[in-house]
Amino acid sequence: QVQLQQSGPGLVKPSQTVSLTCTVSGDSITTSHLAWHWIRQPPGKGLEWMGVIAYDGTTYYSPSLKSRTSISRDTSKNQFSLQLSSVTPDDTAVYYCAVSDGLRVGSIKPTDYDHWGQGTQVTVSS
């Protein structure tokens, strides 16, 4: 059974960088066809897809967040990470990591994802 465990701080000051990590167990992040996503949900709003790193290390980002977002991975630890820079209060949201079979770039359909992390409430406030 694949499990995704998120870690990272929940409170960040404006202009700083949010750094979150998703540790995967039960499968390898290099397994063919799997793609590893970051998705967020601001309060009172729907899901927003942020980006993905595929099994081969290829990355894709939301056009609206691309200039501030970086997704990387550490295959030795079976982890992938999100960095979102220059945050503002508008970046306050619950952040999720998730895995799909196939790229699913841009998808906000929960059923497109096979497993999810537990979610991290990130609040941007001074």
Side-chain angles (χ1 to χ4, degrees), residues 9-111:
L11 181 63
V12 183
K13 293 184 181 339
S15 81
Q16 292 186 339
T17 296
V18 169
S19 296
L20 299 175
T21 295
C22 190
T23 301
V24 179
S25 60
D27 208 335
S28 170
I29 62 173
T30 61
T31 296
S32 184
H33 302 302
L34 295 184
W36 307 89
H37 303 254
W38 288 100
I39 298 159
R40 69 181 182 179
Q41 186 167 25
K45 298 184 179 180
L47 295 175
E48 180 182 16
W49 181 83
M50 301 181 69
V52 61
I53 184 163
Y55 69 95
D56 61 355
T58 305
T59 54
Y60 301 87
Y61 299 105
S62 166
S64 64
L65 296 171
K66 185 175 182 179
S67 63
R68 301 193 292 128
T69 306
S70 177
I71 298 176
S72 59
R73 66 180 186 173
D74 185 335
T75 56
S76 68
K77 295 180 180 179
N78 215 35
Q79 296 175 334
F80 64 108
S81 298
L82 169 74
Q83 290 199 312
L84 179 67
S85 63
S86 304
V87 297
T88 72
D90 287 343
D91 293 308
T92 294
V94 179
Y95 287 70
Y96 297 96
C97 58
V99 59
S100 64
D101 188 353
L103 270 179
R104 313 286 187 184
V105 172
S107 174
I108 56 171
K109 282 179 56 181
T111 53

